[in-house]
Amino acid sequence: MNNLWQFIEPSLQKFRDNPAWITRGAEKRIIRYRELYQATLSQAKTLSKSGIQPGDTVGITAPNGPEFCVAALATWKLGAIVAPIHQNYTEHEIVAQISALQPKIVLVHDTQIEFDHSLQIRLNTESDPENTESTDSTNINPDEVAIRLYTSGSTGTPKIVRLSHNNIISNVLAALHIRQFNEKDRFISLLPLSHAMGLTATFVLPMYSGSCCITPRVIAAKEIIDTLNEEGISVLIAVPRLFRNIMHGLESKFSAGPAPLRGFIWLIRHVPLSIRTVINAPIRKKLGGTINCWVSGGSHLDGAVTQYFHQLGIPLRQGYGLTETSPIAALQGEFDPIVDSVGKPIRDCEAKVSNPDSNGSGEILLKGPNIMLGYESQEQNDLAFDGKWFRTGDVGQIDDAGNITLTGRIKRLIVTEAGKNIYPEELETLLERDSIVKEAGIFELDMKPVAVVSTDEENPADAVKEAMRRFNAAVSSHNRITRFATVNELPRTPLGKIAFQKLPEVFAEHEVK
């Protein structure tokens, strides 16, 4: 069995004349597979001369693009361990990462932060026969550590996750068992490569498949849509917020459009799926043309958003996983009719419900080759594993067909004074279906649910008050929300998820009295 360098290196040579990375900056830059290969050999030689040996930890801090890719591949070529440094953290948080990961050297690109023992990433694409003489990873066992990921999670408890070469490779091969990718595919690079989802799904997977990765100029809605359209993006993997924004943007154009356009959209939604995916070509053209795969991950996607795109003939799927699962654990099928589930476990991954209640709901446990080697803290490992089963901390059900439906996180569960269980994720989904609510974050205060709501309305307090009135009229009494705060944007993690540990502070500052 191969390690990650042996897994990807044949593709670097096989697809040598194909573009590997395109960056949309002031000037478009194209890096081909042969250039990526030569740059990796050169970077590995430089690392080797700097004393990096098998088993050493190499920190990498760089934006999405070929530099991060070259740094990681060079590290794996030497049999060393990649430790991504999340670039979007504050300087204080970055220092905390470095302190926890203790890398022997940090490879840097496009950063103002100073590091001890740092080295600039160089894209030296010139062929040099001596490059091949540097140490390689031939003797590195695929079950050894390939990546050490510092994760604070959305709840703020720091951990270091150890993922093996085989963890990542098994995840990529399981994804390819569901959907094939090749040199014609184009991935848009949105998720940070310093996180498991970005690293596995928008770096290792496309590089192995000979696909091209495209980095937009900025992570902004208009630029993302322009990139989809202008670069012919066929694979879009992103967080739920992006798909909600695309949905709202499309619906605004459809609603404001002329009668023939509205009639065309009505027709698309009412013909059989086989016809729908053909006559929707004008919509697909604006969204990349050849849509091979759209996947939402990172947090819960409202099934209503999935249904919206299915009605337009666009195969949006919801995936599920954690950093600890490398990260994909389950994925919906194409045009899956059970839109509220996260699909079935991927190949070789097993799922079960621990101590199910009368409704069949309990903590989801997972087992398989994608499950991490473990945390670096034995105390954290003792809490995270039940024998060989990984405890996800997510509450859900599994139906007879194997579909997993999640209801919330154990740590976010609210229990009222009357003993009623409240799942914040369900309430957030309902709130976000109101047209004036951009996003909602719910947490517990005095054993009751309170909300932080983002909106673009001119009079946010009055608008959200009306939205709360509509919400409270539609839910049972113990789910009603009587206290809320309004903001322009909710606090976020670098991956783009809501930073739930920051909600109490935001609520205290912005509560509407």
Side-chain angles (χ1 to χ4, degrees):
M1 188 179 291
N2 294 334
N3 53 51
L4 277 165
W5 169 248
Q6 294 167 329
F7 184 66
I8 296 175
E9 189 263 349
S11 295
L12 301 181
Q13 300 198 58
K14 178 181 179 181
F15 302 105
R16 51 182 290 105
D17 293 325
N18 291 5
W21 282 88
I22 296 175
T23 57
R24 287 165 57 96
E27 294 182 4
K28 183 179 289 189
R29 183 175 55 146
I30 300 175
I31 302 294
R32 300 189 180 277
Y33 271 86
R34 67 172 182 272
E35 296 172 314
L36 201 68
Y37 182 54
Q38 292 301 331
T40 297
L41 297 182
S42 178
Q43 188 71 65
K45 181 180 177 181
T46 303
L47 274 175
S48 183
K49 286 183 176 180
S50 300
I52 296 301
Q53 298 178 352
D56 286 342
T57 294
V58 176
I60 301 175
T61 179
N64 286 13
E67 287 80 10
F68 188 103
C69 182
V70 163
L73 290 173
T75 300
W76 289 328
K77 186 180 188 305
L78 297 180
I81 300 167
V82 167
I85 309 299
H86 308 317
Q87 222 184 20
N88 293 335
Y89 276 12
T90 65
E91 186 170 349
H92 172 76
E93 289 168 328
I94 289 174
V95 169
Q97 288 181 78
I98 295 286
S99 177
L101 291 165
Q102 291 290 303
K104 189 170 182 178
I105 197 169
V106 180
L107 295 176
V108 302
H109 175 68
D110 195 20
T111 180
Q112 303 299 316
I113 299 174
E114 298 289 333
F115 299 99
D116 295 331
H117 311 296
S118 65
L119 189 65
Q120 284 288 331
I121 301 168
R122 302 291 184 194
L123 280 189
N124 181 4
T125 59
E126 298 298 320
S127 178
D128 180 356
E130 293 185 5
N131 283 342
T132 57
E133 297 177 7
S134 62
T135 308
D136 64 40
S137 63
T138 305
N139 297 321
I140 298 301
N141 189 310
D143 289 324
E144 292 186 16
V145 181
I147 304 166
R148 296 172 65 225
L149 277 163
Y150 177 96
T151 172
S152 62
S154 57
T155 55
T157 304
K159 298 181 178 76
I160 295 178
V161 177
R162 297 177 301 131
L163 299 177
S164 70
H165 296 264
N166 189 43
N167 285 153
I168 302 296
I169 292 170
S170 70
N171 217 231
V172 168
L173 295 179
L176 290 170
H177 183 71
I178 298 169
R179 167 63 70 182
Q180 288 295 309
F181 304 97
N182 57 40
E183 66 273 19
K184 295 180 181 179
D185 279 302
R186 292 191 155 206
F187 288 64
I188 185 170
S189 183
L190 299 176
L191 302 174
L193 298 184
S194 56
H195 288 258
M197 189 65 179
L199 193 146
T200 298
T202 63
F203 163 24
V204 178
L205 172 60
M207 292 297 100
Y208 175 76
S209 303
S211 307
C212 180
C213 297
I214 291 93
T215 307
R217 297 181 183 90
V218 292
I219 306 298
K222 184 181 185 305
E223 168 62 10
I224 290 171
I225 296 297
D226 288 347
T227 303
L228 294 179
N229 184 14
E230 295 167 11
E231 305 295 343
I233 300 298
S234 60
V235 184
L236 170 59
I237 303 172
V239 294
R241 188 186 191 194
L242 176 64
F243 296 105
R244 287 184 70 239
N245 288 345
I246 294 175
M247 179 185 74
H248 291 318
L250 288 175
E251 194 55 31
S252 294
K253 289 183 179 180
F254 297 157
S255 299
L261 173 62
R262 296 197 301 273
F264 176 57
I265 298 303
W266 182 92
L267 179 65
I268 290 175
R269 288 169 169 161
H270 287 82
V271 298
L273 181 61
S274 58
I275 299 174
R276 194 183 311 161
T277 54
V278 175
I279 67 172
N280 70 351
I283 298 173
R284 282 190 286 108
K285 185 178 180 182
K286 287 291 185 183
L287 299 172
T290 303
I291 297 177
N292 184 354
C293 189
W294 275 23
V295 175
S296 174
S299 56
H300 173 69
L301 175 69
D302 184 0
V305 177
T306 306
Q307 188 65 43
Y308 178 86
F309 284 104
H310 286 187
Q311 289 174 347
L312 294 178
I314 296 171
L316 175 61
R317 311 167 185 241
Q318 180 168 196
Y320 165 64
L322 305 93
T323 301
E324 292 87 343
T325 63
S326 304
I328 309 167
L331 188 65
Q332 288 177 328
E334 187 166 84
F335 293 109
D336 198 321
I338 310 176
V339 294
D340 288 319
S341 86
V342 293
K344 298 179 177 69
I346 58 172
R347 188 177 66 170
D348 297 328
C349 182
E350 299 176 58
K352 71 176 183 179
V353 177
S354 175
N355 299 318
D357 60 18
S358 58
N359 296 317
S361 185
E363 183 178 13
I364 301 294
L365 272 56
L366 299 171
K367 182 172 68 172
N370 59 319
I371 305 301
M372 66 173 176
L373 297 177
Y375 301 118
E376 294 193 351
S377 161
Q378 187 55 48
E379 182 181 352
Q380 290 174 343
N381 283 331
D382 292 341
L383 295 173
F385 287 91
D386 182 359
K388 292 185 178 181
W389 291 88
F390 172 64
R391 303 183 59 180
T392 66
D394 289 308
V395 179
Q397 302 170 339
I398 303 176
D399 66 18
D400 293 339
N403 294 293
I404 302 170
T405 300
L406 303 176
T407 53
R409 292 282 296 170
I410 289 175
K411 290 182 178 179
R412 294 192 64 206
L413 177 68
I414 299 172
V415 181
T416 69
E417 287 181 316
K420 298 281 189 179
N421 286 352
I422 298 174
Y423 296 97
E425 292 87 351
E426 294 181 351
L427 304 191
E428 288 161 358
T429 297
L430 289 174
L431 261 178
E432 288 169 356
R433 288 177 181 172
D434 194 292
S435 61
I436 70 98
V437 176
K438 278 200 309 184
E439 213 165 19
I442 292 173
F443 67 99
E444 176 185 357
L445 189 63
D446 299 328
M447 302 179 77
K448 296 177 182 178
V450 299
V452 180
V453 177
S454 67
T455 180
D456 289 331
E457 297 295 309
E458 289 186 10
N459 297 306
D462 292 340
V464 174
K465 192 175 294 184
E466 280 302 301
M468 284 298 176
R469 183 185 60 76
R470 293 188 289 270
F471 170 84
N472 287 334
V475 300
S476 54
S477 59
H478 66 278
N479 283 322
R480 290 172 186 160
I481 297 172
T482 57
R483 296 178 64 184
F484 66 91
T486 63
V487 292
N488 291 327
E489 296 289 341
L490 295 182
R492 317 202 78 79
T493 69
L495 187 59
K497 297 190 289 185
I498 298 172
F500 291 105
Q501 75 275 16
K502 296 181 180 179
L503 288 182
E505 179 183 345
V506 173
F507 179 84
E509 292 179 4
H510 299 280
E511 182 180 4
V512 176
K513 300 296 185 181

